[in-house]
Amino acid sequence: MSEQNSVNPSTSSNAVNSPFLQAIAQQIRGQDVYGVYRSWSNELLLKAYVVSKQKKREIPVDGEIDPMTLSRIMAFYRAAAACIEKETGLLSQVIVDLNHEGFGWALVFAGRLILVRKTMRDAHRFGFDSFEKLAAEGEDLVAKAVELAQRFPEVGNV
Amino acid sequence: MSEQNSVNPSTSSNAVNSPFLQAIAQQIRGQDVYGVYRSWSNELLLKAYVVSKQKKREIPVDGEIDPMTLSRIMAFYRAAAACIEKETGLLSQVIVDLNHEGFGWALVFAGRLILVRKTMRDAHRFGFDSFEKLAAEGEDLVAKAVELAQRFPEVGNV
């Protein structure tokens, strides 16, 4: 399936089995109320997260952010929140607040503690060089958030 | 001036001189690049924050939030952020993230610490019974935020 539909087969890799990418796939499938993606492999589902530098340059940043891009950004941060919850037990909220120019914030927070605090720009071009980069960025976010949660346990549970 | 234009003169009061209401007026004037409000008194400027229960019921909640209401909400939380900054020295950010149904979050945060964390609903009907109530609610937000900032100074400065 994934080979037939693959736009860019060179991105296939084992990274798609990493816990973070599986968490993203789970978020997307959780929102898939009509079962559109039921027969899709995770790799195919996550392919749109891989955007080459060349391709990024081709995406215009002067219109509204594409709703699919926005939902990919949400799934990314919700996956981070889910992974953080798994490691710390903290129930966290996600806010992605972007203006029409693709500038804004992505926050993951629990209690009074901001676990992930990311300023975004050029959100229209959200994407990663490869599945490995995607997994690495996600795991890095999660690791830093877990560290913060352990450093300030009282604030996360306020 | 304010008397001529006043829609509802019964709301006039000394509360309009409270530090919090002055902070809101300052926020509105700061955004007033064309000087539309230059000749308006603070009382007239803030009048739209006072919405009676009766009037609230008349505001439909099924369309988009009125942009003027949204800017009043932003000015309210930016004023809170300004007052918090004055008392604690913490430079804080404001996020108001509302969906089309008027549900969402208002956050004021500094560093990794969420100083104001408010879930909103029926944002279309944002308003207060009187200037006194507006001032009281704002001052309460600020007082709680300052307390948090003092309790977790390390988190606010991360």
Side-chain angles (χ1 to χ4, degrees):
Chain A
M1 182 84 192
S2 72
E3 265 158 48
Q4 285 164 339
N5 287 293
S6 175
V7 191
N8 180 4
S10 68
T11 56
S12 28
S13 78
N14 285 327
V16 84
N17 297 318
S18 76
F20 189 74
L21 269 68
Q22 291 199 340
I24 300 180
Q26 207 170 12
Q27 290 297 322
I28 298 173
R29 293 188 196 282
Q31 300 281 322
D32 180 31
V33 284
Y34 298 110
V36 177
Y37 303 131
R38 208 177 292 152
S39 63
W40 290 32
S41 68
N42 279 358
E43 189 174 343
L44 185 58
L45 205 59
L46 298 172
K47 190 129 278 175
Y49 279 93
V50 178
V51 184
S52 66
K53 285 218 165 63
Q54 167 67 24
K55 222 171 163 183
K56 279 189 187 177
R57 272 192 294 269
E58 289 166 11
I59 302 173
V61 289
D62 52 359
E64 287 282 329
I65 301 168
D66 179 44
M68 289 306 289
T69 306
L70 204 54
S71 74
R72 273 199 296 281
I73 296 173
M74 279 305 293
F76 178 84
Y77 287 102
R78 286 208 179 114
C83 293
I84 295 166
E85 191 186 335
K86 207 184 267 178
E87 295 208 33
T88 63
L90 289 176
L91 250 178
S92 50
Q93 303 281 345
V94 177
I95 289 184
V96 173
D97 181 47
L98 298 168
N99 68 11
H100 305 286
E101 288 174 325
F103 282 71
W105 292 94
L107 297 185
V108 179
F109 58 98
R112 294 291 188 153
L113 184 62
I114 298 176
L115 297 159
V116 176
R117 175 192 158 127
K118 186 111 180 156
T119 43
M120 299 190 74
R121 54 194 187 90
D122 291 343
H124 304 71
R125 293 175 174 164
F126 185 78
F128 301 83
D129 288 340
S130 62
F131 281 145
E132 285 78 8
K133 286 266 171 69
L134 170 57
E137 175 118 359
E139 280 156 19
D140 186 49
L141 278 184
V142 173
K144 283 185 180 150
V146 170
E147 202 186 299
L148 264 174
Q150 286 163 347
R151 196 168 143 205
F152 304 115
E154 211 188 334
V155 189
N157 287 307
V158 160
Chain B
M1 182 83 193
S2 74
E3 266 157 49
Q4 285 162 340
N5 287 291
S6 175
V7 191
N8 180 5
S10 68
T11 56
S12 23
S13 78
N14 285 327
V16 82
N17 296 317
S18 77
F20 189 74
L21 268 68
Q22 292 199 339
I24 300 180
Q26 206 170 16
Q27 290 297 321
I28 298 173
R29 294 188 194 282
Q31 300 281 323
D32 181 31
V33 285
Y34 299 111
V36 177
Y37 302 131
R38 207 176 295 153
S39 62
W40 291 32
S41 68
N42 279 358
E43 190 175 342
L44 184 59
L45 204 59
L46 298 172
K47 191 130 277 177
Y49 279 93
V50 178
V51 185
S52 67
K53 284 216 166 63
Q54 167 67 22
K55 220 168 163 185
K56 278 188 187 177
R57 272 193 295 270
E58 290 165 11
I59 302 173
V61 291
D62 52 358
E64 286 283 328
I65 301 168
D66 179 43
M68 289 306 289
T69 306
L70 204 55
S71 75
R72 272 198 297 279
I73 297 173
M74 279 305 293
F76 178 84
Y77 287 101
R78 287 209 178 115
C83 293
I84 295 166
E85 191 187 333
K86 207 184 263 178
E87 294 207 34
T88 63
L90 289 176
L91 250 179
S92 51
Q93 303 280 345
V94 177
I95 289 184
V96 174
D97 182 47
L98 297 169
N99 68 10
H100 304 287
E101 289 174 326
F103 282 72
W105 292 94
L107 297 185
V108 179
F109 58 98
R112 294 291 187 155
L113 184 62
I114 298 176
L115 297 159
V116 176
R117 175 193 158 126
K118 187 109 182 160
T119 44
M120 298 190 75
R121 54 194 187 89
D122 292 343
H124 304 71
R125 295 174 174 165
F126 184 79
F128 302 84
D129 288 340
S130 62
F131 281 145
E132 284 78 9
K133 285 267 172 68
L134 170 58
E137 174 118 0
E139 280 155 19
D140 186 50
L141 278 184
V142 172
K144 283 184 180 150
V146 170
E147 201 186 300
L148 263 174
Q150 286 163 348
R151 194 166 145 209
F152 304 116
E154 211 187 336
V155 190
N157 287 307
V158 159

XYZ file of all heavy atoms in Angstrom, chain A residues 93-97 105 107-117 144 148 151-152 154-155 158, chain B residues 93-97 105 107-117 144 148 151-152 154-155 158:
406
model
N -2.690 20.167 28.279
C -3.494 20.822 27.253
C -2.585 21.333 26.151
O -1.433 21.674 26.407
C -4.215 22.035 27.852
C -5.087 21.733 29.032
C -6.420 21.148 28.614
O -6.790 21.232 27.447
N -7.116 20.539 29.539
N -3.127 21.418 24.952
C -2.354 21.942 23.829
C -3.048 23.183 23.272
O -4.256 23.166 23.063
C -2.240 20.882 22.710
C -1.508 21.450 21.505
C -1.540 19.642 23.224
N -2.298 24.232 23.069
C -2.816 25.407 22.356
C -1.886 25.715 21.198
O -0.667 25.814 21.391
C -2.899 26.644 23.273
C -4.032 26.478 24.292
C -3.145 27.914 22.457
C -4.247 27.688 25.168
N -2.454 25.808 20.005
C -1.687 26.300 18.868
C -2.390 27.570 18.403
O -3.547 27.538 18.006
C -1.618 25.267 17.722
C -0.970 25.878 16.500
C -0.852 24.035 18.168
N -1.718 28.676 18.518
C -2.332 29.984 18.220
C -1.488 30.662 17.141
O -0.402 31.156 17.412
C -2.350 30.820 19.506
C -2.995 32.176 19.298
O -4.074 32.230 18.691
O -2.398 33.188 19.737
N 2.225 30.824 18.509
C 2.720 29.990 19.587
C 2.166 28.577 19.490
O 1.024 28.388 19.086
C 2.233 30.520 20.939
C 2.792 31.812 21.366
C 2.238 33.040 21.157
C 4.002 32.033 22.084
N 3.030 34.006 21.718
C 4.116 33.419 22.291
C 4.995 31.182 22.582
C 5.197 33.974 22.976
C 6.055 31.748 23.257
C 6.154 33.127 23.446
N 1.823 25.759 22.543
C 2.063 25.518 23.965
C 1.498 24.163 24.370
O 0.430 23.770 23.909
C 1.353 26.568 24.837
C 1.723 28.038 24.752
C 0.940 28.806 25.818
C 3.212 28.249 24.965
N 2.235 23.482 25.222
C 1.685 22.320 25.921
C 1.853 22.633 27.401
O 2.957 22.975 27.841
C 2.448 21.023 25.573
C 1.860 19.843 26.338
C 2.418 20.759 24.079
N 0.756 22.576 28.158
C 0.873 22.935 29.567
C 0.038 22.031 30.453
O -0.946 21.432 30.023
C 0.491 24.405 29.796
C -0.900 24.772 29.346
C -1.955 24.823 30.258
C -1.166 25.078 28.026
C -3.235 25.179 29.855
C -2.447 25.417 27.604
C -3.478 25.467 28.515
N 0.482 21.939 31.697
C -0.235 21.155 32.704
C -0.250 21.991 33.975
O 0.783 22.542 34.352
C 0.465 19.836 32.956
N -1.388 22.093 34.613
C -1.486 22.947 35.798
C -1.048 24.345 35.427
O -1.567 24.932 34.478
N -0.055 24.862 36.138
C 0.446 26.203 35.831
C 1.788 26.163 35.119
O 2.465 27.187 34.988
C 0.594 26.999 37.132
C -0.716 27.296 37.814
C -1.540 28.289 37.003
N -2.720 28.747 37.716
C -3.279 29.936 37.490
N -2.785 30.744 36.566
N -4.364 30.288 38.155
N 2.191 24.972 34.705
C 3.527 24.804 34.128
C 3.474 24.637 32.608
O 2.731 23.791 32.095
C 4.192 23.578 34.755
C 5.638 23.285 34.355
C 6.554 24.433 34.762
C 6.107 21.982 34.985
N 4.252 25.438 31.901
C 4.329 25.301 30.448
C 5.427 24.305 30.115
O 6.608 24.554 30.360
C 4.605 26.658 29.774
C 3.454 27.606 30.091
C 4.769 26.484 28.267
C 3.651 29.004 29.560
N 5.017 23.164 29.587
C 5.955 22.077 29.324
C 6.660 22.266 27.986
O 7.844 21.974 27.843
C 5.203 20.751 29.350
C 4.590 20.429 30.709
C 3.469 19.424 30.590
C 5.662 19.932 31.668
N 5.911 22.728 27.001
C 6.491 23.029 25.689
C 6.067 24.445 25.344
O 4.891 24.788 25.440
C 5.967 22.062 24.609
C 6.499 22.463 23.233
C 6.333 20.620 24.935
N 7.024 25.252 24.991
C 6.737 26.659 24.687
C 7.502 27.004 23.433
O 8.699 27.200 23.448
C 7.237 27.503 25.867
C 7.137 28.991 25.668
C 7.913 29.758 26.750
N 8.214 31.077 26.208
C 7.923 32.229 26.807
N 7.430 32.258 28.004
N 8.187 33.372 26.214
N 12.680 17.258 27.205
C 12.820 18.522 27.931
C 11.601 18.788 28.810
O 11.728 19.323 29.915
C 13.010 19.674 26.940
C 14.429 19.692 26.389
C 14.658 20.896 25.493
C 16.093 20.879 24.971
N 16.208 21.517 23.649
N 11.417 19.251 32.890
C 10.760 20.391 33.554
C 9.717 19.923 34.565
O 9.624 20.464 35.670
C 10.047 21.258 32.524
C 10.779 22.480 31.989
C 9.965 23.104 30.876
C 11.014 23.501 33.100
N 11.362 18.785 37.543
C 12.023 19.864 38.277
C 11.000 20.684 39.076
O 11.316 21.161 40.170
C 12.732 20.752 37.256
C 13.752 21.662 37.853
C 14.620 22.302 36.760
N 14.949 23.656 37.092
C 15.254 24.607 36.210
N 15.234 24.318 34.911
N 15.555 25.812 36.590
N 9.813 20.887 38.491
C 8.787 21.711 39.150
C 7.484 20.923 39.333
O 6.444 21.320 38.794
C 8.510 22.965 38.336
C 9.707 23.815 38.052
C 10.157 23.983 36.750
C 10.393 24.455 39.075
C 11.266 24.785 36.480
C 11.503 25.252 38.818
C 11.946 25.409 37.505
N 5.404 20.657 41.639
C 4.326 21.355 42.333
C 3.534 22.229 41.353
O 2.309 22.333 41.427
C 4.948 22.246 43.417
C 4.073 22.445 44.626
C 4.689 23.492 45.539
O 5.932 23.667 45.499
O 3.941 24.141 46.267
N 4.251 22.834 40.405
C 3.621 23.776 39.471
C 2.738 23.038 38.448
O 1.690 23.518 38.060
C 4.694 24.611 38.730
C 4.039 25.729 37.950
C 5.700 25.171 39.718
N -0.627 22.199 40.150
C -1.418 23.270 40.804
C -2.877 23.163 40.388
O -3.170 23.017 39.216
C -0.861 24.667 40.444
C -1.941 25.720 40.701
C 0.372 24.985 41.269
N 3.378 37.200 28.293
C 2.718 37.062 26.999
C 1.249 36.752 27.212
O 0.893 36.137 28.209
C 3.330 35.890 26.230
C 4.819 35.988 26.024
C 5.179 36.911 24.880
O 4.330 37.257 24.067
N 6.427 37.320 24.836
N 0.450 37.154 26.254
C -0.983 36.879 26.327
C -1.402 36.034 25.125
O -1.024 36.340 24.000
C -1.795 38.194 26.317
C -3.291 37.900 26.326
C -1.424 39.057 27.505
N -2.131 34.970 25.384
C -2.741 34.206 24.291
C -4.238 34.102 24.561
O -4.643 33.714 25.653
C -2.145 32.786 24.180
C -0.722 32.838 23.648
C -2.994 31.908 23.263
C -0.098 31.476 23.415
N -5.023 34.495 23.583
C -6.463 34.248 23.656
C -6.801 33.355 22.473
O -6.615 33.736 21.327
C -7.280 35.550 23.599
C -8.768 35.239 23.520
C -7.003 36.409 24.820
N -7.221 32.149 22.769
C -7.460 31.157 21.717
C -8.908 30.689 21.827
O -9.259 29.920 22.704
C -6.493 29.980 21.929
C -6.638 28.929 20.856
O -6.685 29.290 19.676
O -6.711 27.724 21.206
N -9.439 29.386 25.531
C -8.557 29.733 26.628
C -8.106 31.185 26.553
O -7.909 31.712 25.458
C -7.265 28.913 26.546
C -7.410 27.471 26.802
C -7.585 26.495 25.863
C -7.356 26.814 28.060
N -7.648 25.284 26.478
C -7.509 25.441 27.820
C -7.188 27.261 29.373
C -7.503 24.507 28.852
C -7.180 26.321 30.393
C -7.341 24.966 30.127
N -4.746 32.910 28.288
C -3.568 32.652 29.117
C -2.693 33.892 29.197
O -2.531 34.611 28.211
C -2.701 31.535 28.509
C -3.236 30.122 28.352
C -2.106 29.221 27.833
C -3.762 29.587 29.665
N -2.152 34.116 30.378
C -1.070 35.085 30.527
C 0.080 34.304 31.139
O -0.111 33.635 32.160
C -1.466 36.252 31.462
C -0.303 37.228 31.613
C -2.706 36.964 30.948
N 1.245 34.337 30.493
C 2.344 33.541 31.025
C 3.676 34.271 30.914
O 3.866 35.142 30.073
C 2.424 32.182 30.329
C 2.599 32.244 28.828
C 3.850 32.116 28.246
C 1.499 32.417 28.001
C 4.001 32.163 26.856
C 1.646 32.483 26.618
C 2.901 32.352 26.046
N 4.578 33.873 31.805
C 5.929 34.425 31.805
C 6.868 33.256 32.020
O 6.620 32.425 32.886
C 6.092 35.442 32.920
N 7.920 33.185 31.246
C 8.829 32.048 31.341
C 8.035 30.767 31.142
O 7.342 30.613 30.146
N 8.094 29.882 32.120
C 7.344 28.627 32.030
C 6.122 28.631 32.938
O 5.509 27.584 33.151
C 8.250 27.455 32.416
C 9.395 27.222 31.462
C 8.860 26.706 30.132
N 9.935 26.310 29.223
C 9.758 25.410 28.252
N 8.575 24.859 28.063
N 10.760 25.100 27.454
N 5.818 29.781 33.499
C 4.744 29.859 34.489
C 3.485 30.506 33.910
O 3.549 31.589 33.332
C 5.238 30.683 35.691
C 4.288 30.794 36.882
C 4.007 29.428 37.489
C 4.886 31.719 37.939
N 2.357 29.823 34.077
C 1.084 30.388 33.634
C 0.494 31.205 34.778
O 0.127 30.661 35.819
C 0.114 29.279 33.198
C 0.718 28.517 32.014
C -1.235 29.875 32.804
C -0.115 27.347 31.553
N 0.437 32.508 34.566
C 0.010 33.419 35.629
C -1.506 33.526 35.676
O -2.106 33.617 36.731
C 0.636 34.792 35.398
C 2.165 34.777 35.473
C 2.768 35.965 34.754
C 2.613 34.754 36.927
N -2.119 33.543 34.497
C -3.579 33.560 34.397
C -3.971 32.431 33.463
O -3.411 32.313 32.369
C -4.099 34.896 33.826
C -5.606 34.845 33.650
C -3.690 36.066 34.712
N -4.877 31.589 33.914
C -5.286 30.440 33.122
C -6.789 30.361 33.184
O -7.366 29.934 34.165
C -4.644 29.190 33.740
C -5.043 27.877 33.121
C -4.611 26.695 33.981
N -5.460 25.582 33.623
C -5.027 24.380 33.233
N -3.767 24.081 33.255
N -5.884 23.456 32.864
N -3.911 37.256 42.158
C -3.587 35.827 42.165
C -2.323 35.540 41.356
O -1.518 34.681 41.720
C -4.766 35.033 41.597
C -5.881 34.896 42.612
C -7.001 34.026 42.099
C -8.109 33.907 43.144
N -9.429 33.711 42.534
N 1.217 33.869 42.609
C 1.859 32.732 41.936
C 3.304 33.059 41.556
O 4.202 32.235 41.728
C 1.105 32.384 40.660
C 0.089 31.272 40.717
C -0.650 31.191 39.389
C 0.762 29.921 41.011
N 5.390 32.861 44.457
C 5.516 31.508 44.981
C 6.499 30.684 44.143
O 7.229 29.849 44.671
C 4.123 30.862 44.945
C 4.022 29.600 45.745
C 2.565 29.197 45.950
N 2.428 27.760 45.943
C 1.344 27.103 45.553
N 0.279 27.781 45.120
N 1.308 25.791 45.592
N 6.487 30.923 42.828
C 7.369 30.149 41.941
C 8.256 31.078 41.105
O 8.183 31.068 39.880
C 6.539 29.287 40.995
C 5.574 28.352 41.673
C 4.212 28.488 41.504
C 6.043 27.312 42.479
C 3.322 27.613 42.123
C 5.155 26.438 43.107
C 3.796 26.596 42.930
N 11.265 31.004 40.268
C 12.211 30.343 39.382
C 11.543 29.993 38.046
O 12.150 30.097 36.983
C 12.697 29.061 40.062
C 14.109 28.671 39.710
C 14.429 27.299 40.289
O 13.771 26.904 41.276
O 15.304 26.629 39.737
N 10.275 29.575 38.116
C 9.563 29.116 36.928
C 9.223 30.290 35.998
O 9.259 30.168 34.778
C 8.277 28.365 37.316
C 7.672 27.694 36.111
C 8.564 27.349 38.402
N 12.387 31.223 33.966
C 13.112 30.181 33.218
C 13.426 30.683 31.810
O 12.569 31.257 31.164
C 12.276 28.893 33.141
C 12.753 28.030 31.980
C 12.380 28.100 34.428
